Amino acid sequence: MNMATIALHDLMFYAHHGCFEEERLIGTRFKVDVEMTTDGCPAALTDRLEDAIDYSRVYELISGEMGIPSYLLEHVAGRILQRLTDFFSLTECRVTVSKIAPSLGGEAGRASVTLTRKDIEHD
């Protein structure tokens, strides 16, 4: 079976996620990476947008979830993953949410959480 993997990297957002009140009040920068796998890829043959995943719609869905403040990156990543798998027909999905320069008591470039579809599936 043919499969296609669509990846969007370095989607940047300013959001209000974090365990500390000042993080939620002031906000900080976040980066999101997503990989989505679908069965087949009709757009490879048709060159028609309606046969493909619309990247701008992916960004819009992620942006909506990034706009909802959360304490934990795990929760943000889980919501994004759920939203994408609910909206698109995906066989697999991988979401990484990174907080740029997190408050860790020392200098840090970023903190990241990665979840896949199996991480949010329930028994």
Side-chain angles (χ1 to χ4, degrees):
M1 177 180 301
N2 292 338
M3 296 193 320
T5 299
I6 294 95
L8 300 178
H9 300 283
D10 301 327
L11 304 177
M12 302 302 288
F13 299 93
Y14 194 86
H16 300 269
H17 308 303
C19 293
F20 301 113
E21 186 176 340
E22 62 268 16
E23 292 176 304
R24 290 188 309 279
L25 182 63
I26 297 168
T28 192
R29 293 182 11 228
F30 293 84
K31 181 181 82 142
V32 176
D33 298 302
V34 62
E35 290 183 18
M36 302 165 290
T37 303
T38 64
D39 280 336
C41 186
L45 301 174
T46 67
D47 196 29
R48 296 176 4 168
L49 181 58
E50 56 270 18
D51 292 334
I53 288 180
D54 183 342
Y55 302 165
S56 64
R57 185 65 178 140
V58 173
Y59 183 90
E60 182 181 306
L61 294 170
I62 293 171
S63 181
E65 294 304 323
M66 289 299 292
I68 302 168
S70 293
Y71 291 104
L72 303 174
L73 293 179
E74 291 85 346
H75 190 246
V76 179
R79 284 199 334 264
I80 291 170
L81 188 57
Q82 189 65 59
R83 187 82 163 114
L84 293 174
T85 56
D86 285 349
F87 193 84
F88 297 106
S89 179
L90 304 176
T91 57
E92 185 54 74
C93 189
R94 177 185 184 95
V95 173
T96 300
V97 177
S98 301
K99 178 182 264 187
I100 309 302
S103 298
L104 300 177
E107 191 172 332
R110 68 178 184 241
S112 301
V113 170
T114 300
L115 294 176
T116 63
R117 189 173 191 158
K118 69 177 185 231
D119 295 321
I120 63 168
E121 290 177 348
H122 302 286
D123 294 331

